[in-house]
Amino acid sequence: AQKVTQAQTEISVVEKEDVTLDCVYETRDTTYYLFWYKQPPSGELVFLIRRNSFDEQNEISGRYSWNFQKSTSSFNFTITASQVVDSAVYFCALSDITGTASKLTFGTGTRLQVTL
Amino acid sequence: NAGVTQTPKFQVLKTGQSMTLQCAQDMNHEYMSWYRQDPGMGLRLIHYSVGAGITDQGEVPNGYNVSRSTTEDFPLRLLSAAPSQTSVYFCASSQRGNNEQFFGPGTRLTVL
């Protein structure tokens, strides 16, 4: 069975601080996808990134960066110079691509609070 | 292009009532899914479909029915609502071969 663990329930930082959200996953699949989603206070789910299991290159998008380490089954997310607008719940998810279906297993989320 | 739409946005039911949550997408996606989100538990998969006429159970299917008669629509039926089904429900769709899922805005359901 697949599992995603986000051990940090809540994180509070002051604006402009860097913050890293941890994600550890378990799967028996050799091919899989990892995702990060943002859920702002308005409630919708905003897709941030998808990474497949064969691509361990780190990715940077503006103030966001992702560190995928297969050896430790981790896919951590760092926000550099955090802003108040980054306040949200962030979910890490794992995709099962066996068979023909695409199903996501989500972590329990990390609530990030950025204050002035 | 509306993406994934869900109706209603809010609903209050009494225990034992039945209702259908509607989900539609206009992206011609083959895959559609229903998730529920509960505090402290993330999102959990209820049912999913890989195409019209094909559905399967996810992690938490009990108390819910689905059918997929068209590519566009994937309704979720609560047969006899229970307070444990109070949750926020998200519908999602994705294209075959592309694991990015597009989520609807959610339906907040309260069962009294």
Side-chain angles (χ1 to χ4, degrees):
Chain A
Q2 299 189 119
K3 186 177 179 183
V4 176
T5 301
Q6 295 179 255
Q8 305 151 308
T9 306
E10 284 195 45
I11 301 175
S12 290
V13 299
V14 177
E15 204 177 39
K16 296 192 180 125
E17 284 185 9
D18 298 347
V19 58
T20 295
L21 309 182
D22 297 332
C23 173
V24 174
Y25 63 92
E26 296 174 28
T27 181
R28 292 181 182 169
D29 297 334
T30 54
T31 303
Y32 51 88
Y33 286 84
L34 293 160
F35 299 78
W36 276 94
Y37 283 88
K38 174 183 180 180
Q39 188 175 45
S42 50
E44 74 272 23
L45 285 158
V46 179
F47 167 80
L48 295 178
I49 190 172
R50 178 190 66 173
R51 174 55 49 86
N52 77 53
S53 53
F54 295 111
D55 183 2
E56 288 195 67
Q57 217 170 5
N58 290 336
E59 180 153 344
I60 299 174
S61 176
R63 296 184 297 107
Y64 295 169
S65 63
W66 290 269
N67 183 346
F68 176 31
Q69 291 198 330
K70 218 167 174 178
S71 60
T72 56
S73 297
S74 65
F75 187 44
N76 296 337
F77 172 32
T78 297
I79 301 175
T80 303
S82 60
Q83 299 176 1
V84 172
V85 293
D86 295 327
S87 297
V89 179
Y90 290 86
F91 291 99
C92 180
L94 173 65
S95 171
D96 171 8
I97 62 168
T98 59
T100 58
S102 176
K103 303 170 287 182
L104 292 179
T105 299
F106 282 83
T108 52
T110 297
R111 181 178 300 277
L112 175 64
Q113 185 73 37
V114 182
T115 56
L116 293 171
Chain B
N1 190 333
V4 180
T5 58
Q6 292 183 238
T7 56
K9 288 189 177 177
F10 302 95
Q11 182 70 49
V12 179
L13 292 177
K14 294 181 180 177
T15 296
Q17 286 185 314
S18 63
M19 81 157 295
T20 299
L21 307 186
Q22 301 293 344
C23 174
Q25 51 91 10
D26 60 0
M27 297 173 281
N28 204 32
H29 286 170
E30 290 181 274
Y31 299 158
M32 295 186 75
S33 310
W34 275 102
Y35 295 85
R36 60 177 288 173
Q37 181 179 17
D38 301 298
M41 301 191 73
L43 281 79
R44 293 179 292 167
L45 183 65
I46 305 172
H47 285 285
Y48 64 97
S49 168
V50 300
I54 307 169
T55 64
D56 205 347
Q57 297 180 349
E59 181 186 352
V60 288
N62 292 342
Y64 307 95
N65 271 1
V66 292
S67 60
R68 183 105 179 265
S69 55
T70 66
T71 300
E72 294 78 21
D73 300 298
F74 191 42
L76 179 72
R77 296 183 188 83
L78 280 71
L79 306 173
S80 177
S84 60
Q85 293 178 305
T86 294
S87 188
V88 180
Y89 291 85
F90 287 97
C91 179
S93 74
S94 62
Q95 201 166 33
R96 180 193 291 269
N98 183 339
N99 278 275
E100 179 179 349
Q101 296 215 1
F102 293 82
F103 283 85
T107 294
R108 185 174 294 273
L109 175 68
T110 302
V111 182
L112 303 174

